[in-house]
Amino acid sequence: MSTFQAPKGTYDLLPPNSSTYLAVREAIAAPLRNSGYGYVETPGFENVELFARGVGESTDIVTKEMYAFETKGGDRLALRPEGTASVLRAALEGNLHKAGNLPVKLWYSGSYYRYERPQKGRYRHFSQVGAEAIGAEDPALDAELIILANDAYRSLGLRNFRILLNSLGDQECRPVYRAALQDFLRGLDLDEDTLRRAEINPLRVLDDKRDAVQRQLVGAPLLRDYLCDACKAYHEEVRELLNAEGVEYEDDPKLVRGLDYYTRTTFEFVHDGLGSQSAVGGGGRYDGLSEMIGGPALPSVGWALGVDRTVLALEAEGVTLDIPAATSVFAVPLGEEARRVLFRVVTELRRGGVATDFSYGGKGLKGAMKNANRSGARLTIVAGERDLAEGLVQLKDMESGDQVAVPVTEVVEAVRARLA
Ligand code: HAM
C-alpha cells in the first residue's frame, strides 16, 4: 500500500477503464458539436458570490456542499459545484450575448466539486458534460436540448432511462403557488427543520425522500394547477415537440431541482439501475439567472449529464462500449541492433498515423510477446539478430497467429496493407 490515497469521495480514472469515461464524454459531446454548440472552458474556481447568488443562498449546494475558501490575498472563492453559473458569467464577461447571434450555444466538459456524503454514484469530485443555450425563449430550444441528451444516451446503448418533465412556472405564477403550498405545509405534522425549509423554499419539501413526509404530501397543491397561461402554453409546446420526435417522457408534477435558478421547463434523466443516486442528468430553463448575477435579461436553458453516473448506468445495463484497441502494432526488438532498426520503424509508423507501441527495457521474446498480447495490437513486428542479418523482420498477425518474414525496408508498407 502506498502512503497516500485519493481523498475521501474521490477516485482515479486509470486504464483500461478510463477509456470508457473518455468515450462517454465524447458520445455526449458529439450531438452538441453537431448542433451548433461551441466549446467553452471556465476556471475550476469562481468568486463564491457567483454561486451564492446564482445557485441560491438556501440550497444544500451552497449552504453545505460548497468548497469555499479564502485565498492568501483575501479573495473569497469556491471550487465550482456546477457549470451553469460559470458559463453564463463567462458568456456575459466575454460579451458573447452582444454579438447579435442569440442564442449563444455552448457546451463544456469538466470536474465539479461538492462536499457530499459519499456513496455509490455520489462523489465529492465528479465529472459532467453540459450544454447551455443562452438568450432565447423558444420551446424548440428546450426540446432540442432534451432530444440531444436522449440521443447521446441512446448512442451509448443505454435503454433503461426515463425522462421526467415538469414546469416550474415563472415570476408571475410561481409566487402564487408558493404561497398556496406554504399554507398547505403549515398544516402538516413536520419537524422543525422541514418547517423552516417550508418557509424559505417550500418547493424543496416536495422533494423530501422520507416516507413519513411523502405520505403527508399526498394532497399537496401542484404547480401544474397554478401555471399562468403563458407558462402553460410554453410547456404544452415543449411536450408537443417531444411527442412529434417520438421522445418518451413522463410528466412529473413533483419534480423540483436542487438549484434555485430554474423557471418553466425542468427535466431529469433517471436510470432505474442506479439505486438512490438515480439521476444521471438534469437541467431546465433559467430565465432569471442572468439578472441574478448582474447581467441583462437573457432567458436560457441547459443541462448537465453526470459522466460518473452514466458509466455506472452502462455497467448496470451490462453495456460494454466498443472501444478499439489503442495500439494497432507492437514492435519487439531482440538485441541492440534490432532496437535501433525497429525504433526507426516505430517512429515512421506513428508519424504515418498508425498507433504503434514498442517493447522497452530489453525484454526477452516471451515477456515482450506477453506485452504485445496485452496491448491488443493486431500485428507484431519481431526483429531478431539472425533475421536482421538478412535484412528481414517477422510480421505476426496476432489473431490468426500467421507469421511471415518481410524485408525491413518494406515493413511499413506491409503493415499498412494488412491494416487497411
Ligand atoms: P445537477 O442536477 O446538480 O445539475 O447535476 C447534473 C448531474 O451531475 C446529475 O444528474 C448527476 O448525474 C451529476 N452529479 C451531480 N452531483 C454529483 C455527485 N456528487 N457525484 C456524482 N455525480 C453528480 C446541474 O449541475 C446544473 N448545472 C444542470 C444545468 C445546466 N441546468 C441548466 N443548465
Side-chain angles (χ1 to χ4, degrees), residues 61 81-84 108 114 116 121-124 126 128 131-132 257 259 261-262 268 279-284 286 301-306 308-309:
I61 292 181
E82 64 106 39
T84 310
Y108 52 95
R114 295 182 194 176
E116 300 202 71
R122 186 163 73 190
Y123 309 105
R124 292 181 171 174
F126 58 97
Q128 289 182 344
E132 315 289 350
R257 308 253 311 123
L259 305 93
Y261 49 62
Y262 290 110
E268 223 156 69
V280 285
Y286 48 94
V301 56
W303 50 244
L305 308 188
D308 311 78
R309 287 187 198 169

Side-chain angles (χ1 to χ4, degrees), residues 221-239:
L222 294 174
L223 186 44
R224 183 167 64 187
D225 303 322
Y226 286 75
L227 291 181
C228 60
D229 288 344
C231 285
K232 224 182 276 174
Y234 193 97
H235 196 57
E236 213 29 60
E237 198 167 336
V238 174
R239 296 178 71 249

Side-chain angles (χ1 to χ4, degrees), residues 54 111 157 172 216 285 389:
S111 295
E172 198 189 310
Q216 296 192 62
R285 203 152 252 293

Side-chain angles (χ1 to χ4, degrees), residues 1-34:
M1 204 180 83
S2 71
T3 322
F4 292 109
Q5 295 179 334
K8 187 174 171 192
T10 73
Y11 63 105
D12 304 303
L13 302 183
L14 302 168
N17 298 342
S18 50
S19 62
T20 304
Y21 285 75
L22 278 182
V24 164
R25 289 190 186 115
E26 186 47 43
I28 300 172
L32 298 169
R33 283 204 198 96
N34 196 36

Side-chain angles (χ1 to χ4, degrees), residues 266-310:
T266 45
F267 50 87
E268 223 156 69
F269 284 73
V270 294
H271 193 278
D272 293 324
L274 294 189
S276 64
Q277 303 305 310
S278 61
V280 285
R285 203 152 252 293
Y286 48 94
D287 293 341
L289 178 57
S290 175
E291 286 146 299
M292 277 150 67
I293 65 170
L298 283 171
S300 307
V301 56
W303 50 244
L305 308 188
V307 175
D308 311 78
R309 287 187 198 169
T310 302

Side-chain angles (χ1 to χ4, degrees), residues 68-77:
F69 56 98
E70 194 172 314
T71 66
K72 293 193 172 67
D75 294 329
R76 305 239 313 119
L77 303 176

